[in-house]
Amino acid sequence: MKVNNIQEFYDLMFKTRDIKREILKKYIQGKPISKSKIDSLKETTEILQQIPQENSKFVLKYAENKKVFINLDYEIGELEKDFYFLNSNMEDFLKYLEKLNHNFKQDIQKGKHFLANKNIDNFISDRDGTVNNYCGRYNSSIQSIYNAYFLISLAKLIKKPIILTSAPLENIGFLDINIMPENFYIIAGSKGREFTWNNQRYNMKIDSKMQQFLRKLNERLQSLVKEPQYEIFALIGSGLQFKFGQTTIARQDIYNSIPKQNSQAFLTKVTEIVREIDPDMKIFTIEDTGKDIEIILNKQDGKSFSEFDKGDGVKFISQQMKINLENSQNLICGDTSSDIAMVDYASKMHNYNYTIFVTQNRELKKNIEKINSKNLFVSSPDALVTILYEYSKKGVNRK
């Protein structure tokens, strides 16, 4: 099999997702896994490695033989980790992760000490960059088997753990790239405005007039990325994501494949469109991460408007699910400033919270420490999920 265009690439990744789901289900049940299924992961790695390259970057075609240059470090790297995970014991696998991740061994030791003798009641975490390694494209950031197994190990101790992301739940969203079976985690998208648990979908109510503004914006952006000079922005990073109560459009990826001038010009263009729809900027808030442009419907309280953040999402989920954050030991995990809102909300409910952030950014550390005093900072998502796995081995089932 050969992969030459972007659609073939995504088809292959989602076929691999389905195989990973089958393998994981058997793995957590302790059932034998066929060698052919495991070998298929290796075969996928080889197919990806055979994609044509130019100047050390993989090249895929789109839209009548146009080219997109991509880095496949995540896709190939995670497949290789899973193949090793399924063909070795845990001790050897953790040594393998240590070779791949800076400060891994030190982070694990610090994490064990940080969570020693703790009885965590609630777990709330961001996904990308926190409990999942970053990928150059959201659409192909399929969860790894080892990653899912480590997170499931933690979920067995906690009643309703939450993974909350800015991405949508579907089309293409969190549920599409997740391989964990249902009901291990509350899976939340759109900063918590939508989530699923126990085979049921929950959506925050949005005023119909506000929703009309968002629909108009989505139509404009959908037309924009059909223009030849802008279509590349639907193919990199997060692409164009229509979420519940917000929209995301990429302007750069983690490999900085878009020239800085073009990326900045696209930000200006998108900002102009938002201001045409909402001249007073009461309806929307624009957040520029440097990689993504997040356009978020504001909260409306009477005639006043304010920004909706992940703290509001945690509030909505905890109220709907009757999760008691008060008088509880809560662990909140993130990796960027947008995740601080979750820490802030939890701190308002109870002042005895723990945080683990995947960051070495001094300013971000200081901002977290202003809110919460019990913090740990680690260098990689692999380190964080391994810490959670090691914590789960204490075996105190709190469900």
Side-chain angles (χ1 to χ4, degrees):
M1 177 182 177
K2 289 187 177 180
V3 172
N4 294 307
N5 62 56
I6 198 77
Q7 189 57 55
E8 290 172 347
F9 167 67
Y10 287 134
D11 288 346
L12 175 64
M13 295 312 300
F14 280 100
K15 180 180 178 182
T16 303
R17 175 205 62 185
D18 295 339
I19 293 170
K20 287 185 177 186
R21 285 176 174 173
E22 291 178 34
I23 293 173
L24 176 65
K25 186 176 181 179
K26 289 188 175 182
Y27 191 91
I28 60 180
Q29 292 175 345
K31 294 181 178 180
I33 303 165
S34 69
K35 185 176 182 298
S36 63
K37 292 290 184 185
I38 298 175
D39 287 345
S40 69
L41 301 179
K42 193 69 173 177
E43 291 167 8
T44 302
T45 303
E46 292 168 355
I47 292 170
L48 293 175
Q49 290 170 331
Q50 291 169 6
I51 292 174
Q53 295 188 50
E54 291 181 21
N55 299 320
S56 300
K57 287 191 175 182
F58 294 97
V59 183
L60 291 171
K61 295 178 181 179
Y62 72 98
E64 298 182 358
N65 290 325
K66 290 185 178 180
K67 296 179 180 179
V68 57
F69 296 86
I70 63 174
N71 186 304
L72 295 177
D73 285 352
Y74 176 91
E75 291 85 351
I76 293 173
E78 297 300 295
L79 283 166
E80 289 178 340
K81 289 179 193 175
D82 273 346
F83 188 76
Y84 198 100
F85 175 71
L86 294 167
N87 285 286
S88 63
N89 59 44
M90 187 62 72
E91 182 179 357
D92 287 342
F93 179 67
L94 294 182
K95 288 179 180 177
Y96 179 67
L97 289 183
E98 183 181 345
K99 292 178 181 178
L100 298 176
N101 294 283
H102 180 64
N103 288 335
F104 184 81
K105 188 174 182 179
Q106 298 93 313
D107 284 342
I108 303 310
Q109 291 302 318
K110 289 190 296 183
K112 286 182 177 180
H113 177 74
F114 183 70
L115 294 179
N117 302 316
K118 307 295 190 302
N119 290 315
I120 301 301
D121 299 293
N122 300 302
F123 176 75
I124 304 167
S125 180
D126 169 57
R127 180 190 187 256
D128 298 285
T130 303
V131 293
N132 202 85
N133 289 304
Y134 269 121
C135 179
R137 291 144 304 282
Y138 193 82
N139 293 17
S140 59
S141 62
I142 308 299
Q143 186 180 23
S144 300
I145 297 167
Y146 78 91
N147 179 278
Y149 177 72
F150 283 5
L151 289 173
I152 286 171
S153 298
L154 175 72
K156 290 178 180 179
L157 306 184
I158 296 171
K159 289 182 180 179
K160 295 174 183 176
I162 302 167
I163 298 180
L164 186 157
T165 179
S166 294
L169 280 182
E170 297 174 299
N171 300 318
I172 296 289
F174 197 163
L175 295 178
D176 300 299
I177 58 178
N178 171 62
I179 69 166
M180 292 185 289
E182 293 179 337
N183 302 329
F184 278 108
Y185 279 87
I186 291 174
I187 300 295
S190 305
K191 292 191 174 180
R193 270 178 158 143
E194 54 176 347
F195 69 93
T196 180
W197 173 254
N198 199 24
N199 305 311
Q200 187 171 345
R201 183 77 167 261
Y202 298 81
N203 295 323
M204 182 179 287
K205 290 183 179 179
I206 297 177
D207 180 82
S208 59
K209 291 183 179 179
M210 298 279 281
Q211 194 67 54
Q212 287 175 12
F213 279 101
L214 188 61
R215 276 196 292 269
K216 186 174 182 180
L217 170 70
N218 290 343
E219 289 170 1
R220 291 287 301 275
L221 293 180
Q222 201 161 28
S223 297
L224 182 68
V225 296
K226 289 180 181 178
E227 297 179 24
Q229 68 268 40
Y230 298 125
E231 58 189 345
I232 187 63
F233 295 100
L235 300 174
I236 64 164
S238 299
L240 176 59
Q241 296 180 342
F242 298 135
K243 308 176 182 180
F244 194 82
Q246 70 182 81
T247 297
T248 296
I249 179 71
R251 73 177 183 95
Q252 188 57 275
D253 59 25
I254 62 173
Y255 307 110
N256 295 314
S257 62
I258 304 297
K260 187 175 181 180
Q261 184 177 356
N262 295 2
S263 176
Q264 188 62 41
F266 186 66
L267 171 62
T268 300
K269 180 66 177 178
V270 171
T271 302
E272 288 173 356
I273 290 173
V274 176
R275 290 189 176 277
E276 287 173 14
I277 298 171
D278 179 23
D280 298 325
M281 294 303 290
K282 290 182 178 179
I283 306 300
F284 295 111
T285 292
I286 300 176
E287 291 183 2
D288 172 36
T289 71
K291 299 291 186 290
D292 294 333
I293 308 166
E294 299 273 7
I295 307 159
I296 307 156
L297 274 180
N298 289 328
K299 296 179 292 184
Q300 185 175 9
D301 183 12
K303 294 183 178 180
S304 64
F305 297 85
S306 59
E307 182 182 347
F308 184 93
D309 58 34
K310 287 185 177 180
D312 296 304
V314 172
K315 179 180 179 180
F316 173 63
I317 295 167
S318 59
Q319 289 178 343
Q320 291 291 312
M321 293 291 97
K322 294 180 172 55
I323 297 172
N324 179 21
L325 297 180
E326 302 177 17
N327 304 314
S328 301
Q329 295 194 45
N330 308 308
L331 175 61
I332 300 101
C333 300
D335 75 307
T336 68
S337 58
S338 68
D339 300 317
I340 294 179
M342 298 190 296
V343 181
D344 189 37
Y345 178 74
S347 297
K348 290 174 181 175
M349 296 295 101
H350 182 48
N351 63 0
Y352 206 78
N353 300 298
Y354 303 94
T355 71
I356 304 179
F357 265 58
V358 182
T359 185
Q360 296 303 316
N361 183 293
R362 291 182 180 180
E363 184 177 354
L364 179 56
K365 288 181 179 181
K366 288 180 181 178
N367 289 335
I368 295 167
E369 288 167 346
K370 289 177 183 177
I371 302 171
N372 196 67
S373 61
K374 305 168 189 69
N375 309 300
L376 175 67
F377 303 104
V378 298
S379 301
S380 66
D382 278 345
L384 174 53
V385 294
T386 303
I387 289 168
L388 299 176
Y389 167 71
E390 292 290 343
Y391 173 79
S392 73
K393 286 160 63 175
K394 66 185 290 186
V396 179
N397 194 321
R398 303 179 63 80
K399 284 198 170 183

